[in-house]
Amino acid sequence: MRVNLEALPIEVLVGQLFVVAMRRERSLKAAMEDHRKNHYGGIFLRRPNLRFTDRTRRLTYGFRKHTREVPPILVCVDEEGGLVSSMARLTVPAPSLGLLGGIDTEDLTRDVHHGIGEKLMALGINTVFGPVLDVNTEAANPVIGTRSFGRDPDLVARHGKAALAGLRAAGILSCAKHFPGHGSTRLDSHVTLPQVEDSREVLDARDLHPFQEALAGGDPPDLMMTAHVAYRNLDKPGVPATLSRAIVQDLLRRELRFQGLVITDSMDMKAIAEHHDPAQAAIKALEAGVDLLLYGEDAALAAQAYAGVLQAVKSKKLSAERVAESVDRVFRVRDRFRGQSWIDDNRAEEILRFDHDQSFYRAALQGVILEGNAGALRDLQNQGRKLLVIPREVSRRRLPLQVVREQLLPAGYRVIETSAVPTEEEVAKAKQSADIADAIVVATASRGSMPEPTKRMIQTLTTRDVVKVGVALLDPADADEMAATNCRLKTLGFSGP
């Protein structure tokens, strides 16, 4: 059923272009009132919103039913597997894309993403921001890493298409990201604006290739997320893709012929928020050709942007026709939700507790790589005093170290935890135990280049002639700094609770 756009007030039309995070402390009723006030066309749910299955389903069902005059809204999450997982508390965590790319079995990638899609649908979520199609060519990249299928554009393209096919089979909307590529940057767009200097020829062969292949395949993404990254040879220096008409309209729409919805990465990230007023940033993105504005953290910033866009339309600084063009595209996609049946409680519980778990486990078992002398692992069992030095958190996510201690204490281990980047005091404490240990296991969890304090800790703890094992919990490149150990375990990504 098509909606007559001319019958809707401009306040409603403008609101349909906003996808806004649920405030962490809000009840379902308050959250729905927040979204109704500005007529937002989508809600973005984060890990804190997905703590209990029944509450999550009540939340998504409420949002599914609270819009009557327009199609059901977008209910969105980040769910990439590995580090970026919103539903990890509610079901078996999915493996990282880096792990799937390392295994390099496209059928497994498709099966895993079919599982991700069906589990999200069981929670009442209809849109997933994934898969990542960035090619991780920069080893020092602090934000992509194992979120990418890998360094080879052809491999990323093959597995990107497999992931999209799996999500399509589950019936969930997919969103490829971060166009036209975030894998070759040394900076994180959450904290600053990265700039890519490479030529158009290099970008075509490397960064753009997976996106081109995805759009040419049988299961193109429903949405495309723009990167808050500037590309010197695609537009003027300092203009991020999100605000670039040359990238959104000329490259993505006209050249690559993308017909779906274009959504921004979160507009509260510093690459945008530190350089632009909230209203002006939103207006520039819409003028560039973006359809949806995402606010993944700051609902107050979204409200400011909404008021600014609304005023710009009323004062004719932004044309109502431009707004209507995107709203029409958005409604065409959201119309698909009208006939979508609600999964009953028992079936939803089955999907979350059992379905597809074997695919996830099968991938995880293949995702640990042993490098060096395998006999060192056997020798560990025969040593007396054993030491494990491990960070207490991986990418700001706390590890269940109490469980680790309970498992390893009977085997003769002492467990010493450090900060993500160890302090001098923590290294000194670990060294005291290492000096009397018969075997030492050192675990690290770097994102991008390994910090110098972590390198110094490894050097300090691995000088003695005892059994030494290194564990790269997150980025397999950490193993390159553990040459003094007898063997190294590389996990190709981390999936945590």
Side-chain angles (χ1 to χ4, degrees):
M1 182 182 75
R2 295 300 306 281
V3 175
N4 181 5
L5 299 186
E6 294 181 359
L8 294 176
I10 191 61
E11 290 82 1
V12 174
L13 293 177
V14 169
Q16 300 307 302
L17 307 183
F18 283 74
V19 177
V20 181
M22 177 178 170
R23 298 189 189 191
R24 191 167 304 186
E25 73 282 1
R26 306 294 268 175
S27 66
L28 171 57
K29 181 179 179 182
M32 291 174 65
E33 288 173 353
D34 288 343
H35 273 63
R36 276 201 188 104
K37 178 182 177 183
N38 291 335
H39 314 280
Y40 294 147
I43 183 168
F44 178 69
L45 301 179
R46 298 169 294 176
R47 280 175 64 91
N49 306 129
L50 278 71
R51 299 185 64 183
F52 306 101
T53 299
D54 57 346
R55 186 180 189 278
T56 300
R57 280 172 53 81
R58 286 199 303 272
L59 173 68
T60 58
Y61 187 80
F63 274 100
R64 176 188 175 106
K65 294 296 184 185
H66 93 284
T67 52
R68 299 295 183 187
E69 72 278 13
V70 297
I73 70 171
L74 300 169
V75 182
C76 313
V77 294
D78 269 334
E79 186 61 52
E80 302 169 7
L83 267 181
V84 182
S85 175
S86 299
M87 62 174 178
R89 291 190 182 100
L90 306 181
T91 188
V92 173
S96 72
L97 301 194
L99 186 152
L100 293 171
I103 297 170
D104 196 11
T105 302
E106 291 162 44
D107 285 346
L108 181 59
T109 296
R110 183 191 183 283
D111 290 347
V112 166
H113 282 81
H114 187 204
I116 288 173
E118 289 209 334
K119 288 174 183 288
L120 290 174
M121 293 286 282
L123 291 169
I125 293 160
N126 57 35
T127 307
V128 57
F129 293 152
V132 172
L133 296 187
D134 302 316
V135 183
N136 190 48
T137 53
E138 175 52 66
N141 194 310
V143 67
I144 300 301
T146 55
R147 294 172 64 194
S148 163
F149 287 112
R151 307 177 166 217
D152 177 59
D154 287 327
L155 180 141
V156 174
R158 287 191 288 105
H159 285 273
K161 288 195 289 186
L164 289 167
L167 295 172
R168 177 65 58 88
I172 196 167
L173 296 186
S174 62
C175 176
K177 58 186 184 184
H178 307 82
F179 186 84
H182 203 326
S184 59
T185 68
R186 283 177 167 258
L187 300 174
D188 180 356
S189 54
H190 290 85
V191 297
T192 191
L193 176 63
Q195 175 105 9
V196 173
E197 306 285 344
D198 297 297
S199 68
R200 174 63 195 268
E201 291 73 24
V202 170
L203 294 174
D204 276 340
R206 184 189 64 197
D207 304 73
L208 287 169
H209 179 64
F211 294 101
Q212 292 168 330
E213 288 294 302
L215 295 181
D219 297 290
D222 303 287
L223 292 83
M224 187 76 74
M225 181 178 286
T226 58
H228 296 332
V229 177
Y231 304 84
R232 183 179 293 273
N233 287 295
L234 295 179
D235 202 341
K236 291 178 288 189
V239 179
T242 298
L243 308 182
S244 168
R245 185 176 181 84
I247 293 174
V248 176
Q249 284 284 52
D250 298 342
L251 175 57
L252 181 57
R253 288 284 189 208
R254 294 197 180 95
E255 187 173 336
L256 300 185
R257 300 181 182 277
F258 179 61
Q259 301 297 313
L261 303 180
V262 180
I263 186 170
T264 70
D265 206 344
S266 189
M267 296 292 282
D268 41 35
M269 291 163 59
K270 290 184 179 179
I272 298 294
E274 283 199 341
H275 300 278
H276 303 274
D277 168 85
Q280 286 305 311
I283 292 167
K284 286 181 179 180
L286 293 171
E287 288 176 336
V290 161
D291 297 309
L292 291 166
L293 302 158
L294 172 63
Y295 294 83
E297 291 281 345
D298 194 336
L301 195 76
Q304 292 179 51
Y306 169 79
V309 172
L310 181 59
Q311 180 58 36
V313 176
K314 288 181 175 179
S315 65
K316 301 190 184 321
K317 290 180 180 178
L318 178 66
S319 74
E321 291 75 20
R322 172 68 198 90
V323 171
E325 175 192 356
S326 282
V327 173
D328 182 61
R329 240 187 320 256
V330 169
F331 281 2
R332 286 174 185 269
V333 171
R334 284 167 43 190
D335 270 334
R336 302 183 208 170
F337 303 147
R338 289 190 188 275
Q340 220 170 52
S341 59
W342 182 253
I343 299 172
D344 68 57
D345 290 347
N346 291 336
R347 179 60 186 134
E349 191 68 21
E350 285 179 4
I351 293 171
L352 291 166
R353 293 186 61 188
F354 305 114
D355 287 13
H356 304 286
D357 290 2
Q358 288 306 310
S359 294
F360 293 8
Y361 286 128
R362 190 165 76 251
L365 288 171
Q366 296 179 64
V368 178
I369 297 174
L370 175 63
E371 181 180 272
N373 178 13
L377 296 180
R378 182 190 63 245
D379 295 341
L380 271 177
Q381 302 175 38
N382 303 322
Q383 305 305 312
R385 291 171 295 192
K386 295 184 276 287
L387 172 67
L388 169 63
V389 180
I390 186 170
R392 65 178 62 93
E393 61 180 35
V394 173
S395 191
R396 301 191 298 274
R397 192 171 305 165
R398 291 193 68 85
L399 293 175
L401 292 185
Q402 185 57 38
V403 176
V404 173
R405 285 192 173 89
E406 291 171 358
Q407 294 292 320
L408 294 183
L409 186 62
Y413 278 88
R414 182 181 185 193
V415 178
I416 292 181
E417 62 184 73
T418 71
S419 304
V421 179
T423 65
E424 292 184 9
E425 292 78 10
E426 289 170 337
V427 174
K429 178 182 177 182
K431 184 179 185 303
Q432 287 180 345
S433 294
D435 285 344
I436 58 172
D438 301 309
I440 300 167
V441 180
V442 183
T444 61
S446 307
R447 291 194 75 177
S449 298
M450 180 181 283
E452 289 300 321
T454 306
K455 293 180 182 178
R456 289 195 293 272
M457 180 185 73
I458 293 170
Q459 294 166 358
T460 299
L461 300 181
T462 58
T463 56
R464 295 179 57 231
D465 187 18
V466 295
V467 176
K468 301 181 288 285
V469 176
V471 182
L473 289 172
L474 180 55
D475 190 333
D478 276 12
D480 297 339
E481 302 291 340
M482 301 175 177
T485 59
N486 301 104
C487 71
R488 293 151 294 284
L489 293 171
K490 302 194 286 190
T491 62
L492 294 175
F494 175 84
S495 298

